[in-house]
């Protein structure tokens, strides 16, 4: 009994690809199948290849269509044919440029045969090849296997089923056929899996040709208009599925715009490319003649709502959008660096949902913020404060905050978190962001002109070198500078690991990775410093590695500067008592500005401590004190004493050089 029905839709195709695809299907180890090839207005030479390769095989049936009508209608013609063949129990379809391994049909069919009755779709992994048939390096196969092994509910966010699959005819009979090109397969899986479960085979059963010149994927990749068409269909399929399943929007995004410029469009494109999709987007056109909407509306998305509010202020536009926000979370969009990646919204929603369970929102109002690539945190809110862009708010609390009247304006300080690099900058930043109403600025302070750009109520991070002139300049402003340092021996260790990890393409990495052959050599290089030869400069693009003395001395003057709060990493991490004392030192330093919050110092201490999350720093490694004792050998110790032993004594880390 031939119980498997395979459809191959064909339009224009490279004859070599087509022959390879056909022969791979015809040479399956499980041969009890029918193959229907539907020519979707294919050229005569393509039809000739099909007839030549399949000649004499009674399993094959060729359907010729004169007019090209697209893959969805072509698939439906093939499967409608199979619906009339009683002995067929399983369906699959194949592409005319992919290669199918001999056990493709056998293993997908066996998975369905052996699975519980409620399982209606089996799928496997596959290999990616280029148009020459060479395997692509990415994605790594083991990682791809894990990625595909997901519950069916996750299909709403990602299409992990891919191009190697089989499903039961009886389930297919319960739904309509293929539609919504160019995501006809994904949209079909969303509907099919509402009636059945799925089973995964962690094995590659075929090769997927990713950049075949005549393929749909190549067209989508090489055309912005085609990509937008794909994205619209992809999001429409997801939204239709949520509507069928009565899943409400989780997030409202309010995007006030003043024009239809390239920058505005680019921001919109970044948002629409987010992996998290369960949001509605309210675009509020503030232009006098609705000129922005006329341009923006050409970028279609099923989740977008337009509101025309000519001449409105930014705050009025936000309030208008907020009045119709009916989702658990709200985000104001359009300014700043958000989003930093396509996963930004997803990460914010996960963090927001977790934090909502942990905190009493009435007592602990918060906003979720992005702290780096794939990293999030939260900051405490002051009810009545101005809304922040790119921050995730609980909608009820956000409405209460923005609509609150007669709120006394609280002017929070400008805070500079200054540091020796690799000394706990992000830890101190987290602590400061625990102060209600404080926001993080989107730029670092390295030069004097950066000080002038600092804003009230914001904290800036910086590696701002010391000079007496700079000390005087800060003393003449209302900037509150807090300086953090760390045992310089641990700075060396942390710096070596940071450079070698190379998360941010560190300029020292090529030299340290290729020229220095061991960890011990790298530690010594950053203790003593290295002057590169001319040849090495040309090869590695740097002329030197500074010694630990040269690397840190430019900052250490802040430790004794007047009007600067000095804390150490060790004080903030040694134990609970030490941490409390150090944070209270910061509170006392800022108290003149913070007492208007109507919180006691102890309440403020608890809020600031609550915001500490060591793993939420994109530069966090161990966060341990004294790691140098494990990594330094005697030669390292000797060299360090010669180079920077006196600094350790001055900073109070050692009494002398006998360590």
């Amino acid at each position: 009994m031939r119980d498997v029905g395979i459809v191959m839709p064909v339009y224009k195709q490279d004859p070599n690809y087509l022959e390879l695809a056909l022969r791979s299907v015809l040479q399956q180890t499980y041969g009890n199948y029918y193959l229907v090839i539907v020519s979707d207005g294919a050229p005569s030479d393509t039809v000739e290849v099909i007839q030549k390769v399949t000649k004499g095989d009674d399993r094959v049936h060729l359907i010729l269509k004169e007019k090209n009508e697209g893959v969805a209608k072509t698939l439906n013609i093939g499967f409608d044919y199979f619906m009339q063949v009683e002995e067929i129990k399983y369906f699959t379809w194949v592409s005319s440029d992919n290669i199918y391994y001999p056990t493709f049909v056998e293993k997908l069919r066996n998975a369905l045969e052996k699975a519980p009755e409620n399982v209606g779709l089996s799928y496997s992994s596959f290999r990616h090849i280029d148009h020459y048939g060479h395997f692509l390096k990415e994605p790594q196969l083991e990682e791809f296997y894990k990625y595909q092994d997901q519950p069916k509910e996750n299909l709403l966010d990602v299409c992990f089923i891919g191009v190697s699959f089989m499903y039961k005819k009886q389930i297919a009979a319960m739904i309509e056929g293929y539609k919504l090109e160019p995501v006809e397969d994904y949209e079909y899986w969303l509907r099919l899996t509402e009636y059945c479960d799925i089973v995964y085979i962690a094995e590659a059963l075929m090769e997927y040709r990713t950049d075949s010149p005549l393929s749909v994927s190549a067209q989508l990749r090489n055309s912005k208009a085609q990509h937008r068409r794909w994205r619209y269909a992809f999001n429409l399929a997801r939204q239709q599925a949520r509507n069928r399943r009565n899943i409400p929007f989780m997030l409202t995004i309010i995007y006030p715009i003043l024009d239809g410029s390239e920058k505005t469009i680019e921001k919109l494109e970044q948002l629409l490319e987010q992996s998290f999709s369960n949001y509605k987007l309210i675009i509020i056109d503030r232009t006098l003649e609705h000129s922005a909407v006329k341009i923006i509306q050409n970028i279609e998305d099923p989740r977008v709502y337009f509101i025309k509010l000519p001449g409105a202020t930014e705050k009025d536009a936000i309030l208008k959008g907020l009045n119709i926000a009916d989702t658990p979370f709200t985000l104001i969009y359009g300014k700043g660096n958000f989003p930093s990646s396509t996963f930004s919204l997803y990460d914010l929603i996960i963090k927001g949902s977790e934090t909502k369970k942990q905190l009493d929102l009435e007592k602990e109002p918060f906003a979720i913020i992005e702290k780096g690539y794939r990293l999030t945190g939260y900051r405490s809110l002051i009810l009545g404060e101005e809304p922040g862009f790119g921050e995730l708010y609980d909608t009820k609390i956000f409405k209460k905050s923005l609509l609150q009247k007669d709120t006394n304006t609280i002017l929070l300080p400008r805070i500079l978190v200054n540091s020796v690099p690799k000394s706990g900058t992000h830890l101190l930043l987290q602590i400061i962001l625990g102060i209600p109403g404080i926001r993080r600025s989107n730029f670092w302070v390295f030069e004097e002109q950066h000080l002038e750009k600092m804003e009230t109520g914001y904290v800036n991070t910086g590696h701002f070198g010391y000079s007496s002139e700079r000390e005087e300049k800060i003393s003449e402003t209302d900037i509150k500078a807090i300086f953090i340092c760390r045992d310089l021996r641990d700075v060396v260790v942390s710096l070596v690991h940071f450079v070698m990890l190379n998360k941010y393409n560190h300029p020292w990495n090529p030299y340290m990775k290729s020229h220095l052959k061991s960890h011990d050599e790298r530690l010594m290089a950053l203790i003593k410093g290295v002057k590169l030869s001319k040849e090495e400069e040309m090869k590695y693009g740097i002329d030197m590695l500074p010694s630990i003395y040269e690397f840190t001395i430019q900052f250490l003057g802040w430790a004794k500067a007047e009007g600067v709060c000095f804390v150490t990493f060790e004080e903030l991490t040694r134990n609970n008592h030490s941490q409390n004392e150090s944070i209270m030192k910061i509170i006392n330093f800022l108290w003149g500005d913070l007492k208007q919050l109507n919180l006691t110092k102890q309440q403020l201490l608890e809020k600031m401590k609550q915001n500490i999350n060591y793993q939420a720093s994109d530069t966090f490694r161990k966060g341990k004190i004294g790691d140098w004792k494990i990594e330094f050998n005697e030669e390292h110790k000797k060299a360090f004493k010669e180079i920077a032993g006196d600094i350790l004594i001055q900073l109070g880390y050692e009494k002398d050089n006998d360590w």
Side-chain angles (χ1 to χ4, degrees):
M1 181 176 72
R2 293 174 179 171
D3 59 0
V4 177
I6 306 171
V7 174
M8 177 185 282
V10 181
Y11 178 40
K12 292 179 180 178
Q13 190 54 268
D14 181 293
N16 293 320
Y17 295 164
L18 177 57
E19 183 167 347
L20 283 170
L22 284 167
R23 294 197 184 281
S24 70
V25 174
L26 295 176
Q27 294 168 4
Q28 293 291 303
T29 55
Y30 184 84
N32 291 325
Y33 63 81
Y34 290 103
L35 171 62
V36 164
I37 302 168
V38 185
S39 169
D40 186 26
S44 58
D45 56 346
T46 299
V47 175
E48 288 173 7
V49 172
I50 296 170
Q51 292 171 331
K52 180 189 75 171
V53 175
T54 63
K55 185 178 180 180
D57 195 321
D58 67 350
R59 299 171 301 179
V60 180
H61 179 68
L62 176 60
I63 298 175
L64 297 175
K65 287 169 65 256
E66 291 186 5
K67 183 180 178 183
N68 175 252
E69 296 178 290
V71 67
K73 189 164 186 177
T74 303
L75 286 171
N76 291 336
I77 289 173
F79 287 117
D80 286 346
Y81 175 87
F82 281 143
M83 280 291 180
Q84 309 307 313
V85 182
E86 188 174 344
E87 62 186 304
I88 291 178
K89 294 169 57 180
Y90 305 112
F91 285 172
T92 187
W93 62 273
V94 294
S95 295
S96 60
D97 57 353
N98 294 334
I99 298 172
Y100 299 87
Y101 294 167
T103 58
F104 168 77
V105 172
E106 179 185 350
K107 290 187 175 180
L108 288 169
R109 177 188 175 278
N110 286 349
L112 289 174
E113 283 278 306
K114 296 175 182 178
E117 185 64 27
N118 61 312
V119 173
L121 182 146
S122 63
Y123 68 104
S124 82
S125 195
F126 51 93
R127 302 293 301 272
H128 294 74
I129 58 174
D130 63 17
H131 59 286
Y132 297 111
H134 300 147
F135 290 122
L136 299 179
K137 293 181 180 179
E138 297 293 340
Q140 295 296 326
L141 200 55
E142 291 302 319
E143 293 177 8
F144 192 54
Y145 283 170
K146 293 177 183 177
Y147 164 77
Q148 285 192 277
D149 190 8
Q150 299 192 48
K152 69 174 186 177
E153 291 76 16
N154 288 7
L155 270 175
L156 270 174
D157 296 309
V158 287
C159 183
F160 55 81
I161 288 178
V163 291
S164 179
F165 51 83
M166 187 175 289
Y167 51 99
K168 292 179 178 177
K169 175 183 178 180
Q170 68 185 65
I171 306 297
M174 300 170 70
I175 65 173
E176 295 180 15
Y178 289 89
K179 51 189 174 182
L180 199 60
E181 295 181 29
V183 296
E184 65 286 332
D185 50 354
Y186 174 63
E187 192 274 340
Y188 191 82
W189 307 145
L190 287 173
R191 287 186 286 120
L192 190 79
T193 54
E194 290 170 6
Y195 294 89
C196 68
D197 287 331
I198 61 178
V199 61
Y200 173 56
I201 304 169
E203 178 184 351
L205 297 181
M206 58 159 294
E207 293 170 6
Y208 170 54
R209 203 179 299 274
T210 60
D211 56 358
S212 171
L214 296 173
S215 67
V216 173
S217 58
Q219 297 173 29
L220 297 176
R221 186 170 53 253
N222 297 327
S223 165
K224 180 182 285 189
Q226 288 298 325
H227 176 74
R228 286 176 176 172
R229 171 176 167 256
W230 168 86
R231 186 178 63 203
Y232 172 79
F234 186 54
N235 286 324
L236 179 59
R238 295 195 281 190
Q239 196 51 48
Q240 288 175 342
R242 288 193 175 97
N243 292 342
R244 287 194 303 271
R245 302 174 194 184
N246 296 314
I247 299 174
F249 286 117
M250 195 170 188
L251 170 66
T252 299
I253 298 177
I254 301 170
Y255 185 17
I257 58 175
L258 267 177
D259 55 47
S261 66
E262 283 300 316
K263 185 177 180 181
T264 301
I265 292 172
E266 183 183 356
K267 270 288 186 184
L268 177 59
E269 295 276 9
Q270 287 179 326
L271 185 58
L272 298 180
E273 292 292 330
Q274 288 291 299
S275 63
F276 178 81
S277 63
N278 192 17
Y279 64 84
K280 63 179 175 182
L281 173 58
I282 301 173
I283 297 178
I284 303 175
D285 185 358
R286 299 164 55 200
T287 61
L288 294 177
E289 298 178 353
H290 318 311
S291 57
V293 165
K294 293 174 184 176
I295 298 171
I296 296 290
Q297 66 186 2
N298 294 319
I299 304 173
E300 294 183 288
D301 191 280
R303 302 160 297 176
V304 173
Y305 302 81
F306 291 102
I307 295 178
K308 298 172 183 177
L309 211 61
T313 65
E314 184 178 89
K315 187 167 184 178
D316 285 343
I318 292 171
L319 286 170
K320 179 68 174 179
L322 193 56
N323 280 332
I324 56 176
D326 55 358
T327 54
F329 295 103
T330 297
L331 182 140
I332 312 301
Y333 185 72
K335 291 183 179 178
N337 295 330
F338 180 88
S340 67
S341 79
T342 55
F343 302 103
S344 292
L345 276 183
Y346 172 81
D347 293 335
L348 287 184
I349 288 290
I350 293 296
K351 181 67 175 178
S353 300
E354 291 174 353
T355 309
K356 209 168 180 177
K357 294 175 183 176
Q358 296 167 358
L359 299 180
D360 182 341
L361 291 177
E362 293 296 329
K363 297 179 181 178
E364 302 277 355
F366 65 86
I368 304 299
I369 58 174
E370 197 172 35
K371 302 180 72 173
Y373 178 75
R374 302 305 311 270
L375 293 169
T376 57
Y378 74 88
R379 68 173 187 85
S380 298
L381 285 180
I382 299 175
L383 295 183
E385 69 175 47
E386 290 296 310
F389 282 75
E391 299 182 344
L392 186 73
Y393 297 95
D394 174 85
T395 300
K396 290 181 180 178
I397 295 297
F398 192 35
K399 285 184 176 182
K400 181 178 178 181
S401 177
L402 277 194
L403 300 175
Q404 183 165 306
K405 297 179 179 179
D406 301 324
T407 302
N408 294 323
T409 302
I410 297 176
L411 296 177
L412 293 170
R414 298 189 289 168
I415 301 175
L416 173 61
V417 167
N418 194 18
S419 64
V420 171
K422 308 308 300 171
S423 289
T425 316
H426 290 89
L427 170 61
L428 182 53
L429 174 64
Q430 289 177 0
I431 291 168
I432 297 303
L433 286 172
I435 300 170
I438 290 291
R439 295 188 172 104
R440 183 182 182 180
S441 178
N442 60 11
F443 69 92
W444 283 62
V445 172
F446 297 108
E447 304 293 341
E448 288 184 31
Q449 61 263 31
H450 297 154
L451 297 176
E452 299 169 4
K453 295 168 60 180
M454 290 178 62
E455 297 179 76
T456 299
Y458 283 80
V459 54
N460 289 73
T461 46
H463 301 313
F464 188 51
Y466 175 81
S467 71
S468 56
E469 291 80 11
R470 287 182 170 184
E471 179 183 347
E472 183 178 355
K473 188 174 183 67
I474 283 186
S475 70
E476 292 172 350
T477 70
D478 60 354
I479 294 172
K480 303 297 185 183
I482 306 169
F483 178 67
I484 186 169
C485 185
R486 184 183 193 181
D487 187 324
L488 302 190
R489 293 165 292 193
D490 281 334
V491 170
V492 169
V493 172
S494 181
L495 188 57
V496 168
H497 286 284
F498 177 71
V499 172
M500 295 309 295
L501 182 61
N502 203 30
K503 193 170 183 179
Y504 299 103
N505 296 317
H506 201 288
W508 299 352
N509 176 269
Y511 176 79
M512 289 179 63
K513 182 178 181 180
S514 302
H515 190 79
L516 304 178
K517 302 302 182 184
S518 70
H519 185 60
D520 284 347
E521 282 186 72
R522 293 166 189 138
L523 287 170
M524 187 63 80
L526 292 191
I527 292 171
K528 298 175 69 173
V530 178
K531 174 63 179 172
L532 276 66
S533 67
K534 289 294 183 184
E535 292 77 14
E536 289 169 341
E537 285 185 38
M538 293 291 292
K539 183 175 181 179
Y540 298 111
I542 57 173
D543 61 356
M544 65 170 292
L545 296 180
S547 69
I548 186 61
Y549 177 86
E550 295 166 328
F551 184 71
T552 58
I553 192 63
Q554 59 179 312
F555 304 106
L556 294 177
W558 293 113
K560 296 183 178 179
E562 289 290 329
V564 173
C565 181
F566 174 46
V567 295
T568 69
F569 177 81
E570 291 77 14
E571 291 169 349
L572 287 171
T573 57
R574 183 176 291 114
N575 54 49
N576 190 55
H577 176 73
S578 175
Q579 187 179 78
N580 287 347
E581 283 193 337
S582 191
I583 296 176
M584 191 57 74
K585 180 180 179 181
I586 295 170
I587 291 172
N588 288 330
F589 175 70
L590 299 172
W591 188 243
D593 296 290
L594 301 185
K595 58 186 177 183
Q596 59 186 317
L597 292 173
N598 293 321
L599 296 170
T600 66
K601 291 182 179 181
Q602 186 60 37
Q603 288 172 327
L604 197 50
L605 172 72
E606 293 304 319
K607 285 182 176 292
M608 294 166 77
K609 287 186 65 174
Q610 197 172 42
N611 206 43
I612 296 174
N613 181 357
Y614 297 104
Q615 281 73 28
S617 165
D618 56 357
T619 58
F620 175 81
R621 187 176 66 89
K622 281 187 178 180
K624 290 185 177 180
I625 299 171
D627 216 19
W628 66 269
K629 295 176 183 177
I630 300 171
E631 304 214 14
F632 275 22
N633 60 31
E634 291 303 317
E635 291 300 313
H636 296 136
K637 293 176 187 177
K638 181 180 177 182
F640 195 99
K641 291 172 186 178
E642 293 173 358
I643 299 294
D646 289 345
I647 297 179
L648 285 182
I649 297 169
Q650 293 169 21
L651 291 173
Y653 286 99
E654 297 291 349
K655 294 180 180 178
D656 51 42
N657 275 328
D658 187 21
W659 47 271

